[in-house]
Amino acid sequence: GNSVTQMEGPVTLSEEAFLTINCTYTATGYPSLFWYVQYPGEGLQLLLKATKADDKGSNKGFEATYRKETTSFHLEKGSVQVSDSAVYFCALSGGYNKLIFGAGTRLAVHP
Amino acid sequence: NAGVTQTPKFQVLKTGQSMTLQCAQDMNHEYMSWYRQDPGMGLRLIHYSVGAGITDQGEVPNGYNVSRSTTEDFPLRLLSAAPSQTSVYFCASSYSGTGEYQAEAFFGQGTRLTVV
């Protein structure tokens, strides 16, 4: 069946450091891929998405590229800020917009 | 535009009690779904609906019921609460998308449920 595996956290970085959060998936067909972010005490918000192979999603300085050959959708940001501290979820859509999530990666950014 | 609204935000139940978590959206989305979030497990799908009158089970449906009588509302009922249902519950909605395009989901703020 479909599944998503993302790197375990927590990830602790200093402000302005480079961020990578790895995400790989297993799926039949060609699912859409998403990164959602959850700030403390809030629901999930869409960060970025990609709907087909080689698409690059980007938002707020974050980027991720849909790599079909490696079944990956790694999240990157060149320079993180304290305000980026949150939990990040990689997800794929399994039809009818049913989402299959990874376990989540907590990011803490220190000044 | 309120988006997806969940009530209550917090709830404590005793084992065996029943309750309904409310979810309403004002975006005229066809698809709605319920997830539970547990530490280290991400979010898991409980039930979903592709339109009024149509519901189906997700990954972890046992102990929960849903119905969808209107496009706007999608309540989740716990029939007889158990400690294993202690979790944070999220409702989400989305439009159907076009062809292979699968639309993003909009989430409510969540309901933190504790069963003692």
Side-chain angles (χ1 to χ4, degrees):
Chain A
N2 296 344
S3 65
V4 175
T5 302
Q6 64 181 102
M7 65 185 287
E8 294 184 17
V11 174
T12 303
L13 295 173
S14 297
E15 207 165 25
E16 299 184 2
F18 183 85
L19 169 71
T20 299
I21 301 178
N22 290 338
C23 172
T24 57
Y25 68 90
T26 302
T28 55
Y30 303 96
S32 292
L33 300 175
F34 305 86
W35 277 100
Y36 282 86
V37 58
Q38 184 180 32
Y39 297 103
E42 298 186 9
L44 278 72
Q45 305 173 22
L46 178 70
L47 180 60
L48 53 84
K49 62 186 177 188
T51 58
K52 61 183 186 295
D54 299 325
D55 265 3
K56 177 185 285 188
S58 61
N59 185 28
K60 300 181 181 179
F62 291 90
E63 293 183 340
T65 301
Y66 190 147
R67 300 287 188 198
K68 189 171 182 294
E69 64 276 11
T70 55
T71 61
S72 65
F73 193 55
H74 304 321
L75 181 68
E76 296 181 337
K77 186 175 186 182
S79 176
V80 293
Q81 305 300 312
V82 172
S83 58
D84 294 326
S85 298
V87 181
Y88 292 82
F89 292 93
C90 184
L92 66 81
S93 184
Y96 298 117
N97 294 344
K98 296 180 291 180
L99 291 168
I100 297 168
F101 287 89
T105 302
R106 183 176 299 278
L107 171 66
V109 181
H110 298 289
Chain B
N1 190 341
V4 179
T5 303
Q6 289 184 237
T7 56
K9 286 187 167 49
F10 301 95
Q11 183 70 50
V12 178
L13 288 179
K14 294 182 178 178
T15 298
Q17 286 185 316
S18 63
M19 78 160 295
T20 299
L21 308 185
Q22 301 291 344
C23 175
Q25 54 94 4
D26 61 359
M27 297 172 281
N28 202 32
H29 286 166
E30 301 97 322
Y31 295 167
M32 297 186 74
S33 49
W34 277 101
Y35 296 86
R36 60 178 287 173
Q37 181 180 22
D38 300 295
M41 302 185 73
L43 282 76
R44 292 178 293 168
L45 182 65
I46 304 171
H47 285 284
Y48 67 99
S49 169
V50 300
I54 306 170
T55 65
D56 205 348
Q57 296 180 351
E59 180 185 355
V60 287
N62 292 342
Y64 307 95
N65 272 358
V66 292
S67 60
R68 186 140 177 232
S69 56
T70 67
T71 298
E72 294 78 19
D73 299 301
F74 191 44
L76 178 72
R77 282 181 286 278
L78 279 70
L79 308 174
S80 177
S84 60
Q85 294 179 304
T86 294
S87 188
V88 181
Y89 292 84
F90 287 99
C91 179
S93 74
S94 61
Y95 61 91
S96 59
T98 304
E100 291 187 350
Y101 174 71
Q102 293 165 56
E104 68 178 276
F106 292 81
F107 285 81
Q109 296 284 299
T111 296
R112 184 174 295 274
L113 175 69
T114 302
V115 183
V116 298

